[in-house]
Amino acid sequence: MSDTPALDVAGVSHRYGERLALDQVTFQVGSGEVFGLLGPNGGGKTTLFKLLGTLMPLQQGTVRVFGADLVAQQDAVRSAIGVTFQSPSLDAKLTVGENLKFQGYLYGLSGRTLQERIDQLTEALGIRDRLKEIAEKLSGGLKRRVEIAKSLLHHPRLLLLDEPSTGLDPGARHDLWKYLRSLRDTLGVTVLVTTHLMDEADRCHRLGILNHGRLIALGTPAELRAEVGGDCITIESDSPEALSAGLKETFGLDPQFVGGVLRIEQAEGHHLVRDIVAKFPDAVQTISLGRPTLEDVFIRQTGHRFWDEAPK
């Protein structure tokens, strides 16, 4: 793995008028990583994606792609990145092969070089036998593979994918992530993915969690879950305020009130579940115990659930 980061984002902020869409975002992506940007809609993922893809000018901060400055060396950055957008980008009336050839022409590729790259990528992505099929007749998963092949034709070192699983069924999503991993192993490509799906984020080597334009957590999925500090207990009650006060008085707990339920972090939480039910049998409607998830990480950092509005 190279010592130079594939992507170095430092102090990036971006405004749309008075609205601050990104607020001093800073992180690095190592060469060969599959890195995820996780966040709810409106968290800042799309804005950051457009900046990294050179689709919008950088307002504040610096971005380097394999050492090349995003502003001063934009041509070098564009040659180093491949971009797969959330919205479909195939010409539906052309064949898979025609879509790939026209993409290659845009990058100055032609002849044997272009054909060899098409052969290599379609073999790696499992679509070699689809070259003569019309794009609109492909399944969602196959279309996404063709779009990824398009973005890799010019041999970029960094692949940017914006919500790549949009519209895919669970099986197609599983296959897509298998191919993304293989890109790193077979072609040495670094991958950055934006997503709002927890299970996808769990497949990344490392991730950053964005909320209202701020990077609120950064690390491997295991490291982030470990920060929660124990099991997660959730309790539904007809009188949550009274139960919360009772839990504080009896056990010294300070539950969070999140999404209409009480939430507690506790090591070896099964013992506490037993004690709560024994002490407050009439106040507890339901009680559940689980290992920390990435949503628990989000709740710990923000005080609200992934899809809830932050408290005013």
Side-chain angles (χ1 to χ4, degrees):
M1 185 177 291
S2 171
D3 291 336
T4 302
L7 179 64
D8 187 355
V9 177
V12 169
S13 296
H14 192 88
R15 287 186 178 276
Y16 297 104
E18 295 298 314
R19 184 172 72 86
L20 185 61
L22 294 173
D23 185 6
Q24 293 291 313
V25 173
T26 298
F27 65 93
Q28 291 185 342
V29 178
S31 179
E33 276 194 306
V34 177
F35 186 92
L37 284 171
L38 172 69
N41 294 335
K45 303 188 308 298
T46 298
T47 295
L48 183 56
F49 185 88
K50 289 180 178 179
L51 293 174
L52 299 180
T54 73
L55 300 177
M56 296 194 308
L58 194 63
Q59 294 178 352
Q60 181 179 332
T62 60
V63 175
R64 293 186 179 276
V65 177
F66 292 101
D69 185 82
L70 184 71
V71 176
Q73 298 168 283
Q74 196 165 90
D75 288 344
V77 169
R78 285 176 173 168
S79 68
I81 64 174
V83 182
T84 300
F85 297 99
Q86 180 177 353
S87 301
S89 62
L90 299 180
D91 189 315
K93 300 302 181 182
L94 298 182
T95 66
V96 170
E98 290 167 341
N99 269 281
L100 293 172
K101 284 183 179 180
F102 284 122
Q103 178 76 6
Y105 296 157
L106 293 175
Y107 282 90
L109 301 172
S110 61
R112 179 177 296 179
T113 298
L114 176 57
Q115 191 58 53
E116 287 177 350
R117 294 191 183 185
I118 290 175
D119 291 343
Q120 177 194 34
L121 288 169
T122 54
E123 182 70 30
L125 290 165
I127 52 174
R128 183 76 178 271
D129 61 340
R130 307 284 182 160
L131 286 170
K132 295 183 179 180
E133 291 192 28
I134 301 298
E136 68 180 357
K137 296 182 179 180
L138 299 176
S139 67
L142 289 174
K143 288 178 181 177
R144 189 56 93 195
R145 290 189 220 171
V146 177
E147 290 170 338
I148 292 173
K150 283 179 58 179
S151 64
L152 291 170
L153 274 174
H154 61 294
H155 282 182
R157 299 164 68 191
L158 173 63
L159 178 62
L160 307 176
L161 300 106
D162 189 19
E163 303 280 359
S165 295
T166 297
L168 302 187
D169 61 50
R173 286 172 53 200
H174 174 80
D175 289 344
L176 170 65
W177 276 87
K178 181 175 71 174
Y179 287 119
L180 292 182
R181 289 279 188 172
S182 73
L183 289 176
R184 181 235 182 175
D185 297 336
T186 61
L187 302 178
V189 177
T190 302
V191 179
L192 183 143
V193 178
T194 70
T195 184
H196 62 270
L197 302 173
M198 299 291 178
D199 63 322
E200 285 196 348
D202 249 326
R203 300 172 192 241
C204 298
H205 296 120
R206 287 192 309 128
L207 29 127
I209 301 180
L210 281 170
N211 183 53
H212 292 288
R214 294 187 302 108
L215 191 71
I216 60 173
L218 181 66
T220 68
E223 288 170 346
L224 295 178
R225 285 193 297 269
E227 292 178 3
V228 173
D231 298 321
C232 292
I233 301 169
T234 56
I235 308 171
E236 293 185 17
S237 173
D238 285 333
S239 52
E241 293 84 2
L243 178 57
S244 179
L247 292 171
K248 185 170 185 178
E249 180 180 352
T250 305
F251 301 111
L253 300 172
D254 189 16
Q256 285 181 291
F257 192 66
V258 180
V261 301
L262 297 176
R263 178 181 176 277
I264 302 166
E265 296 174 12
Q266 180 75 23
E268 298 185 351
H270 58 287
H271 297 305
L272 182 60
V273 168
R274 176 198 61 206
D275 295 341
I276 290 174
V277 173
K279 183 66 177 178
F280 303 100
D282 297 329
V284 175
Q285 286 183 297
T286 65
I287 186 166
S288 63
L289 172 72
R291 300 298 298 165
T293 66
L294 290 175
E295 180 160 23
D296 291 316
V297 175
F298 187 86
I299 291 171
R300 182 180 178 85
Q301 294 291 338
T302 66
H304 63 96
R305 294 187 305 184
F306 197 70
W307 293 111
D308 290 342
E309 286 296 322
K312 301 299 183 184

